[in-house]
Every structure is written in structure tokens, then in C-alpha cells.
Amino acid sequence: MSRWKYNVMFLLLTIVVVGAACAQTSSPSLETPPNFKIAFIGDQGLGENAEAVLKLIKSEGAQAVLHQGDFDYKNNPPAWEAQINKILGPDFLYFASVGNHDTGKWTGENGYQQYLKNRLSRLGITWDGDLGAKSSMRYKGIFIILVSPGVLGTGHDIYIRDRLAADKSLWRICSWHENMRLMQVAGKKDDTGWGVYEEARKGGAIIATAHDHSYGRTYLMSNFTTQAVASRANPLIITEGQTFAFFSGLGGRSIYEQKLNGSWWAKIYTKTQGARYGVLFGVFNLDGVSNKAMFYFKNIKGEVVDRFDVISHVHNK
């Protein structure tokens, strides 16, 4: 074999080996841009308060909204869509789970779900399953599950289990609207079952809910059924088996008083504490550290009422 042919073969072999190594070592989390900000809201409504919340989302520079159900309370998808477009624009990234007040106009040609599908399609985003009810998608290295336990359908816990088991993302978020009674502090009942909380925890997913028109978040939990706290320290270190849950229902509709308490709550912000409408923001890949995030709840008056750090030690397969 000539030296020229030998050099060519060696070069080709090197390219193949290096390429394979890069494919094996590349991390899906690198797809998340530095300081990628998601706004978490629920229980929105139409009008001045809801618009103030959307303006806060825009002014804070969020790149996406993750809405945990209850949109406009008037069964008026065009008005809801128009309110979003007026402030955030028709191509702003908006994910949502269906709430109990959305079911009357959820499906159909002019239903909420169709508007959500149209928006994601315009942005070239695909999803698995029944969007907003039992669905999932991976965006910018973040795996998002949108389900509707207690609102539409059954088997949401199994769906969460199976989708998280097949996922390779460093950051995972499970979003739904309703709660268990002890996972909110107002007058709500046991609506979802513990299965969805537990499967999300086992899969290392952050749990995002609403339904209670106030704000609250747990400490790092090792069991939601028994309200077992794994740690009260900051940062919260998420693993398969330990995570936290929150409800962020101050999107503009109304504000509830506190009726319940518990040692598992790291923060409670209700009418009892003088709450104002606001947003929980999550900033992922904080300052370019792929497994670090920072969360803060800010109200429409500009007050930061909660701030905490999160580190993901979820196995990045």
C-alpha cells in the first residue's frame, strides 16, 4: 500500500473514531442556551390583571411560558389568544396544560388546544401525544410533560413514568393544573391522586401546578404521599427520587387566602400574606452551568418574594 493511500485511510479512520466519541459524549443539556428563562403561571383570566402579568413576563425577558391551566374563564379561546398576542406576540413560545375551566372549549376547530397546536406548529415544534392533556416534547434540552390528571382522561401517572424512563434530558418538568389537598394551601380537594406526583419524583422531574390562586413551593421531597422532606437546604438538588413541587396560580384571575399549612412548605404567598399577581421564573443553564438553575417569584409591583437555586443530578443518559 502506498504511503498516500495509507495516510488517506488513517485520516478517514480518525474522523470516524473522533465523530463517534463526540456523539457519545455530547450532552443533550448543552442544547439549553445560557440563562434560558421560562415563566410559570396559571389561573389567568382576561383583563387588566392578566395583562399586567403578561407584561411582567415580557419585561423580565422570558423566552417561554409554561401555563398550568385555567385560561380565561369565559370559554373564549380567540379572546385568550388575542390577549397573549397583544403583549407577547403571535410567535412567542407558549406551552399549556388544560385546566378544569378550559374543558368546555378545549377541543374543536376553534378550541384552546387548536390555538396551542397552531402556535407550536408555527414555531416548528413537534410533540408526542394529545397536546396539553397527555403529551410531551423536548425543547432546548428541556423535557416537558403536559398532562391533565383530575381534568381529562386517566393513566397520567403511567404516562409520566414511561415518558421519563425513556428521556435523556438533564432538566425535566411535569406540568398539570389540579392538586392533591396537601399540595396546595387553599380549599381544594384531592383531585389528581398521588401517582402523578410520585412518578414525577421518581423520574427527577420538577412538578409545576396551579389551581390554588396563590403561590407556594415545597422543600426538596423524598415522598409526596407522606410529605417526607429530603432537605431544607438551598440549593435544592434534584435526583431520580427527589424533587420539589410548586403551584403558581397568580396569573390574574383572583387571589385566595391561606387555609392550610404544613412543614413541607418552603414558601407560601397568598392573600393572607398580602400577595399580588405574579410569575415564577425559572432560569436554566444559569450562567452557562448546564445543571444549575435559579428560580424567583416576582409580582407585578416588582417585588421578588421568593428565590432559590436548583441543581440537577438527574442521570443524563
Side-chain angles (χ1 to χ4, degrees):
M1 180 182 296
S2 68
R3 175 174 292 277
W4 180 83
K5 288 183 178 179
Y6 176 83
N7 289 339
V8 171
M9 290 182 64
F10 181 78
L11 177 61
L12 291 174
L13 180 61
T14 301
I15 292 172
V16 170
V17 171
V18 172
C22 290
Q24 291 175 358
T25 57
S26 63
S27 171
S29 65
L30 297 178
E31 298 174 15
T32 306
N35 302 315
F36 184 73
K37 186 178 292 189
I38 298 177
F40 297 90
I41 63 170
D43 307 285
Q44 188 175 47
L46 297 174
E48 181 180 354
N49 295 326
E51 291 187 2
V53 169
L54 291 173
K55 289 175 181 176
L56 173 62
I57 291 170
K58 183 176 182 178
S59 67
E60 287 296 296
Q63 284 100 341
V65 167
L66 188 43
H67 190 144
Q68 282 72 63
D70 279 6
F71 304 143
D72 60 79
Y73 293 83
K74 293 184 180 297
N75 286 323
N76 194 341
W80 179 64
E81 172 84 350
Q83 179 175 254
I84 296 169
N85 291 347
K86 173 184 174 183
I87 296 168
L88 298 179
D91 293 326
F92 190 88
L93 185 56
Y94 210 103
F95 301 107
S97 300
V98 58
N100 58 297
H101 285 282
D102 310 321
T103 57
K105 292 290 289 184
W106 175 244
T107 58
E109 183 178 352
N110 293 309
Y112 296 108
Q113 187 185 53
Q114 190 59 54
Y115 280 98
L116 291 164
K117 287 180 177 180
N118 293 345
R119 182 177 293 266
L120 294 187
S121 295
R122 286 197 301 272
L123 297 172
I125 298 171
T126 59
W127 61 89
D128 167 81
D130 186 10
L131 182 64
K134 191 182 286 185
S135 61
S136 61
M137 67 282 296
R138 195 164 178 272
Y139 183 77
K140 299 292 186 182
I142 300 174
F143 190 60
I144 299 171
I145 295 179
L146 307 172
V147 287
S148 54
V151 177
L152 288 176
T154 60
H156 299 284
D157 53 344
I158 304 304
Y159 182 80
I160 290 172
R161 181 196 67 190
D162 293 346
R163 296 306 295 159
L164 289 177
D167 179 55
K168 298 181 180 180
S169 304
L170 181 63
W171 292 106
R172 307 162 184 196
I173 303 169
C174 286
S175 165
W176 63 80
H177 178 64
E178 295 191 339
N179 332 89
M180 291 297 280
R181 178 175 176 271
L182 296 180
M183 287 294 110
Q184 53 86 57
V185 296
K188 305 299 183 180
K189 300 178 181 179
D190 287 337
D191 292 318
T192 63
W194 287 114
V196 286
Y197 285 90
E198 285 297 282
E199 293 301 340
R201 175 185 63 80
K202 293 172 185 176
I206 296 167
I207 299 171
T209 71
H211 201 38
D212 178 347
H213 298 191
S214 51
Y215 166 74
R217 66 160 173 107
T218 69
Y219 289 109
L220 188 71
M221 305 293 287
S222 58
N223 190 303
F224 286 98
T225 306
T226 61
Q227 299 83 58
V229 175
S231 173
R232 290 180 168 81
N234 188 67
L236 287 71
I237 300 176
I238 296 177
T239 63
E240 284 96 337
Q242 296 184 353
T243 190
F244 69 99
F246 66 80
F247 56 90
S248 181
L250 290 171
R253 172 63 175 179
S254 62
I255 303 177
Y256 291 167
E257 294 181 350
Q258 181 180 351
K259 295 183 179 180
L260 301 177
N261 205 344
S263 60
W264 53 93
W265 293 111
K267 182 67 178 183
I268 293 172
Y269 182 61
T270 74
K271 187 175 182 179
T272 306
Q273 288 80 30
R276 299 178 185 271
Y277 299 108
V279 182
L280 178 66
F281 294 98
V283 185
F284 297 86
N285 193 5
L286 185 67
D287 296 331
V289 182
S290 62
N291 72 331
K292 187 174 182 180
M294 183 268 287
F295 286 74
Y296 64 99
F297 187 94
K298 192 171 190 177
N299 66 28
I300 58 175
K301 296 298 183 181
E303 300 166 325
V304 176
V305 298
D306 190 25
R307 186 201 178 283
F308 57 101
D309 300 302
V310 180
I311 294 175
S312 174
H313 281 180
V314 172
H315 181 56
N316 202 196
K317 303 180 184 71

